[in-house]
Amino acid sequence: NYGLAHMKSGNYQAAELSLRKAVELSPSYALANLNLGICLAAEGQTDKAGPYFWLAQTQDPRNPDVYYQKARWVDAKAPVLACGDLKHALQLRPNHSQALALLVQVEVARRSWRELSEILQQYGDLAEAAPVVIAARATMRSALDSEIVGARARLSARPQAVDYQQLSFLLWQSRRDEEAAEVARQGTLRFPKDASLQNNRAAAMLDLHRWQEAASSAEAAVRLEPTFQLARNNLDFARKQMQSHP
């Protein structure tokens, strides 16, 4: 309690002393470890804070605040890790508005529009995070529209494989799967040995639930590039769906 009071007043040095005493008295007390981690991170001692977050996570793995705070303080420079922790927090508590708000901010910074779209679709009704969600939707639409216009212009100016790849990927990110599949198909006609274009078409076909076409494109990608793991994953998924939906 003293440690929290000191943190709220901004006296992190006193808070650290109090929280270290609490951890010394109760090493397995997850909340004490969590708060000490927050205190150290707030002081700029991120490297020293990390182990306390991990201890708290081990001791109280069902506490969503542990994952949220870890993403906020320790994973700040590792967005992929931060996203994983924030998604875990939301799985444990779907109405965790702070975790959703931070996850949205991280995905916007990463420009991971497809993942952001799925997050907003799943959690977008969370009233407490409405301002962040509304802003994220607007940012996503504006950024994707701008990037798609640019990609179309580049494709018209110099139709190279990478231009077909980028446009089909952007269309897929914006959930325009029919267009994404068609652009990727056109690209494969010009560049039949490009594995990425085949895989882009497979990804769009998966979202359209056109399993046979998805499998065919993924197979082509794997033939062209046997170590293409994402294409192998798409192929495995398409085959499983074909078995489930003969």
Side-chain angles (χ1 to χ4, degrees), residues 178-194:
E178 289 280 5
E179 291 180 74
E182 178 57 22
V183 169
R185 186 191 69 81
Q186 292 174 9
T188 60
L189 296 178
R190 280 179 172 264
F191 304 97
K193 294 184 178 181
D194 191 285

Side-chain angles (χ1 to χ4, degrees), residues 135-243:
R137 285 192 174 121
T139 299
M140 179 174 64
R141 282 194 296 267
S142 175
L144 271 173
D145 288 347
S146 176
E147 290 179 26
I148 287 171
V149 168
R152 288 192 191 280
R154 288 190 296 274
L155 184 60
S156 297
R158 52 172 182 83
Q160 301 297 314
V162 66
D163 301 307
Y164 282 101
Q165 291 171 14
Q166 290 175 349
L167 180 55
S168 60
F169 179 69
L170 287 168
L171 289 166
W172 175 79
Q173 282 196 308
S174 64
R175 308 187 79 84
R176 293 156 66 175
D177 295 305
E178 289 280 5
E179 291 180 74
E182 178 57 22
V183 169
R185 186 191 69 81
Q186 292 174 9
T188 60
L189 296 178
R190 280 179 172 264
F191 304 97
K193 294 184 178 181
D194 191 285
S196 292
L197 284 171
Q198 294 287 0
N199 187 61
N200 282 6
R201 185 169 187 270
M205 288 302 177
L206 286 176
D207 287 336
L208 292 167
H209 295 184
R210 288 157 62 175
W211 314 123
Q212 182 63 56
E213 292 171 271
S216 177
S217 293
E219 283 175 350
V222 171
R223 282 197 302 272
L224 290 165
E225 194 174 321
T227 60
F228 196 165
Q229 190 58 50
L230 184 56
R232 287 187 172 277
N233 294 344
N234 286 335
L235 178 56
D236 289 343
F237 185 78
R239 284 173 172 170
K240 289 177 182 176
Q241 293 302 314
M242 289 167 62
Q243 293 175 354

Side-chain angles (χ1 to χ4, degrees), residues 11-239:
N11 189 348
Y12 292 106
Q13 187 174 9
E16 181 184 343
L17 291 173
S18 180
L19 290 166
R20 284 192 182 280
K21 185 64 175 179
V23 168
E24 183 182 339
L25 293 171
S26 302
S28 60
Y29 185 26
L31 188 57
N33 282 304
L34 175 61
N35 287 330
L36 179 54
I38 294 171
C39 180
L40 290 169
E43 290 181 287
Q45 302 183 63
T46 308
D47 291 342
K48 293 182 179 179
Y52 292 101
F53 283 102
W54 284 109
L55 272 173
Q57 182 177 317
T58 302
Q59 293 161 349
D60 192 6
R62 302 292 299 171
N63 183 350
D65 289 327
V66 173
Y67 298 91
Y68 165 69
Q69 295 292 353
K70 180 168 171 285
R72 180 186 176 198
W73 293 104
V74 179
D75 299 338
K77 295 183 180 180
V80 174
L81 292 177
C83 287
D85 279 328
L86 292 166
K87 288 176 181 178
H88 200 145
L90 285 165
Q91 288 173 359
L92 294 169
R93 189 192 300 163
N95 64 345
H96 198 309
S97 59
Q98 292 174 306
L100 175 60
L102 184 55
L103 178 57
V104 165
Q105 291 172 15
V106 173
E107 294 292 20
V108 167
R110 293 177 66 205
R111 306 184 79 78
S112 300
W113 306 124
R114 182 75 179 201
E115 289 190 30
L116 178 59
S117 177
E118 292 172 357
I119 291 164
L120 295 179
Q121 186 174 9
Q122 185 173 1
Y123 299 105
D125 293 333
L126 189 54
E128 293 86 345
V132 172
V133 168
I134 292 169
R137 285 192 174 121
T139 299
M140 179 174 64
R141 282 194 296 267
S142 175
L144 271 173
D145 288 347
S146 176
E147 290 179 26
I148 287 171
V149 168
R152 288 192 191 280
R154 288 190 296 274
L155 184 60
S156 297
R158 52 172 182 83
Q160 301 297 314
V162 66
D163 301 307
Y164 282 101
Q165 291 171 14
Q166 290 175 349
L167 180 55
S168 60
F169 179 69
L170 287 168
L171 289 166
W172 175 79
Q173 282 196 308
S174 64
R175 308 187 79 84
R176 293 156 66 175
D177 295 305
E178 289 280 5
E179 291 180 74
E182 178 57 22
V183 169
R185 186 191 69 81
Q186 292 174 9
T188 60
L189 296 178
R190 280 179 172 264
F191 304 97
K193 294 184 178 181
D194 191 285
S196 292
L197 284 171
Q198 294 287 0
N199 187 61
N200 282 6
R201 185 169 187 270
M205 288 302 177
L206 286 176
D207 287 336
L208 292 167
H209 295 184
R210 288 157 62 175
W211 314 123
Q212 182 63 56
E213 292 171 271
S216 177
S217 293
E219 283 175 350
V222 171
R223 282 197 302 272
L224 290 165
E225 194 174 321
T227 60
F228 196 165
Q229 190 58 50
L230 184 56
R232 287 187 172 277
N233 294 344
N234 286 335
L235 178 56
D236 289 343
F237 185 78
R239 284 173 172 170

